[in-house]
Amino acid sequence: MRPTRLRWTAALALITTTALLTGGAVSSPALADCPAPSYVGMWKSNDSGGLRHGPGHSLTTLAPGGEIFISAFDLATDFANIALGGDVEPGTNAVYQLTGTASTTWTTKVARKNGVIHHDDEIRLFGTSVLAGGLNVGVTVDFTDECSDTRRTLFLGTLKVTDE
């Protein structure tokens, strides 16, 4: 065989072998994370995109039903903002519905090719504009799962503003 045909034959053999080993699955950036679940969340943030994690500071679809508390201390330390983000189907966004003593909808920018909604592009000036003790809102989020390519709606948790 000529060198050109040899390269084509080797490439075809590699593709065929890979297809047989993976059950014919075609890999893409979106599927590379599977079977890990897609997720979205919200975190306490400063206006530079620094995040606080953990109970009382963040909510994610991986462990829904928690609470974020924003206090006067958070306002004084510049962590009274909310950052949104996650890993979803590329080319889709997440829609956060806040309901309760205040109601609003936050829609993220479209996820990049790797499915990531970058939190530093999604900072909401929450505490500085509505910091009033007693504010209590439920948060539901709607997003497209990158593994199943289906739309999911989940109760994320509660966002509370306290006077302390």
Side-chain angles (χ1 to χ4, degrees):
M1 277 191 216
R2 293 186 314 200
T4 306
R5 280 197 181 158
L6 182 59
R7 285 188 198 127
W8 271 104
T9 303
L12 186 55
L14 179 63
I15 292 169
T16 303
T17 302
T18 303
L20 288 171
L21 292 174
T22 63
V26 177
S27 181
S28 71
L31 294 176
D33 290 345
C34 297
S38 290
Y39 74 93
V40 292
M42 62 173 33
W43 298 265
K44 276 188 192 179
S45 174
N46 61 22
D47 56 6
S48 301
L51 301 180
R52 291 206 172 143
H53 298 275
H57 300 294
S58 62
L59 302 171
T60 73
T61 55
L62 300 176
E67 297 174 317
I68 291 180
F69 296 96
I70 295 179
S71 67
F73 177 76
D74 294 316
L75 183 59
T77 60
D78 194 31
F79 273 90
N81 299 319
I82 296 296
L84 312 174
D87 185 10
V88 300
E89 175 75 21
T92 66
N93 58 17
V95 179
Y96 295 76
Q97 182 68 43
L98 284 67
T99 57
T101 52
S103 296
T104 192
T105 300
W106 291 334
T107 302
T108 66
K109 295 177 183 173
V110 172
R112 297 179 185 180
K113 289 180 183 180
N114 63 357
V116 174
I117 298 171
H118 287 268
H119 74 273
D120 43 356
D121 292 338
E122 299 293 343
I123 297 172
R124 303 298 194 264
L125 303 176
F126 186 75
T128 55
S129 60
V130 294
L131 189 64
L135 183 64
N136 187 5
V137 295
V139 181
T140 302
V141 64
D142 183 71
F143 65 99
T144 302
D145 183 90
E146 67 183 330
C147 295
S148 65
D149 195 30
T150 58
R151 206 70 186 162
R152 298 177 61 197
T153 301
L154 293 172
F155 175 71
L156 196 57
T158 306
L159 184 55
K160 296 181 175 186
V161 177
T162 64
D163 287 328
E164 292 117 33

